[in-house]
Amino acid sequence: MNSQRTAGSSPRSREGSPPSGGAAGGLARYVVAAALARTADGGAVVAVVLLVTSSGGSGTLAGVLGACITAPHLLGPFVARSLDLARDGRKVIAAACLLYAVALTAGVLTYGHTPVVLAALLLATAGACGPLLTGGISSRLPAIVGPRLRTQRRAQGWDVATYGIGGTVGPSLVAALSGWVSPTAAALALAAGAATAAGGILLLPFSAPSHGGDGSAILKPGATLALIARTGRLRRTVYLTMVVALSVAALPITAVHLTKILGTEPATAAVLTAAYGLGNLAGSIAVMVRPLTGDPDRLMRRLALGVVAGLLAVTASPAFALSVAAYALTGILNTFFFASTLAARTEYAPSGARGQVFIWIAALKITSGSAGTALAGSLTGLSVRLPLVVGLLAVSVSVAAATAEARFGKADEKHL
């Protein structure tokens, strides 16, 4: 695929493109708003858990209330249709940011002063907005940066960076503010960030809805999932995304146990996870500087094998320093893979269901990552490196299946 190709030959060209003069400013506002929203989403669970445990609550209660933030992400596909139906999708996402801020604030302030079920419901309300703060915001990016493919690929590097910032800065900010002030103050800071993100979203360039005023043309959630299932390139995007997410979810769990066999203190597990996070950020910068080129379907398969190589390096590392390097390498390679999946969602999703496709895949990725964490926790009892071996084998098998499907299933390759 020529990296300079525009979207004029694909359905995404129907959306048009913003004026080139405003694209850079729109991307800058996008990055700030997305980073704020994803920092709030990434740090909220840590804030809630610290709030409960610091006030004498049980670990079980902390887990339940934390799940109230994460579990509703599974409802994302059923919320996403409102984004595709909206005359102005910015307003839908901005409203979700504001509701997230209000519900999170109310949830942490009412905890301990009212029945815990009220706090749980408020936190679940915030969690239900989460998909619009992640996949929902990402679905706006193509219309902001215009149809030129290389520009979109570079912008996707910035988008990946905002996810990395959210996943690292969010929990770190919460930990710092909880120590300096309190977990409640940390949660309120996250809520303020989400509210600020709402203003940034409203400042993004406007793009007309793809349905042209005909809401009946927008697929329902079940129909969108069926579309993904029968469209080969989207189907492969889903299962490769899910399997890779399941596999890399083992890394934080494995880090704690690897310190024992590498002869280092348990606290050094934080160094391994930090190396992975820094690898993510380094990979994002690399994609910004040198955008990915080529067909996303093929890129995903190749870069998934890169993740396999990273996991293999972690598994085989005989010393702590090498393990740090292997974690960083895996973070870089996983970021490249993630960027290729964003490209696939952008280029293969029909314009009338783009928001739903983004959020469906994001929800399934989160679910798979949670399953990977649970699986790693159970397998480390048998062998410290077993979760890594299972993960790299699972990704290898998925890549082999995707390659065979792409080669022999050309009938599924219709571009919608």
Side-chain angles (χ1 to χ4, degrees), residues 2 14 40 42 110 187 387:
N2 190 324
R14 299 182 195 130
T110 56

Side-chain angles (χ1 to χ4, degrees), residues 99-394:
L99 180 57
Y100 188 97
V102 171
L104 179 60
T105 298
V108 298
L109 291 180
T110 56
Y111 174 74
H113 303 286
T114 62
V116 71
V117 66
L118 177 60
L121 289 173
L122 289 167
L123 293 175
T125 300
C129 298
L132 289 173
L133 275 62
T134 52
I137 295 180
S138 289
S139 70
R140 309 301 300 170
L141 192 57
I144 293 170
V145 301
R148 194 163 175 261
L149 186 61
R150 184 175 177 82
T151 304
Q152 288 202 0
R153 296 283 178 89
R154 177 172 283 114
Q156 286 157 3
W158 283 102
D159 200 26
V160 172
T162 66
Y163 281 98
I165 291 169
T168 55
V169 174
S172 300
L173 177 65
V174 167
L177 286 178
S178 296
W180 294 337
V181 189
S182 69
T184 299
L188 295 180
L190 296 179
T196 305
I201 295 295
L202 291 175
L203 292 175
L204 296 178
F206 171 78
S207 60
S210 59
H211 55 69
D214 181 13
S216 63
I218 301 300
L219 298 177
K220 294 183 178 179
T224 302
L225 184 59
L227 168 72
I228 294 172
R230 69 173 180 265
T231 306
R233 289 176 292 193
L234 287 177
R235 182 171 61 246
R236 290 190 287 277
T237 302
V238 169
Y239 68 71
L240 286 172
T241 298
M242 291 179 67
V243 175
V244 170
L246 183 144
S247 300
V248 299
L251 290 171
I253 302 296
T254 306
V256 176
H257 298 279
L258 278 177
T259 58
K260 300 175 184 177
I261 63 176
L262 294 174
T264 61
E265 295 295 325
T268 58
V271 177
L272 295 175
T273 55
Y276 178 75
L278 290 173
N280 278 324
L281 293 178
S284 302
I285 294 171
V287 175
M288 294 175 212
V289 174
R290 190 179 179 86
L292 299 176
T293 59
D295 175 42
D297 192 17
R298 187 176 297 109
L299 278 172
M300 284 189 297
R301 285 177 265 139
R302 292 176 176 176
L303 293 171
L305 288 179
V307 175
V308 169
L311 293 173
L312 184 59
V314 173
T315 304
S317 296
F320 182 73
L322 293 176
S323 294
V324 172
Y327 264 76
L329 174 64
T330 307
I332 293 171
L333 294 169
N334 186 50
T335 296
F336 290 165
F337 172 76
F338 182 32
S340 72
T341 68
L342 289 177
R345 298 184 218 181
T346 300
E347 296 173 33
Y348 300 150
S351 58
R354 178 169 292 136
Q356 294 187 73
V357 168
F358 264 86
I359 293 178
W360 259 118
I361 296 176
L364 293 171
K365 177 183 177 181
I366 291 171
T367 302
S368 188
S370 298
T373 300
L375 179 63
S378 62
L379 291 180
T380 49
L382 300 174
S383 170
V384 172
R385 293 187 170 95
L386 183 58
L388 299 172
V389 173
V390 170
L392 65 89
L393 289 175

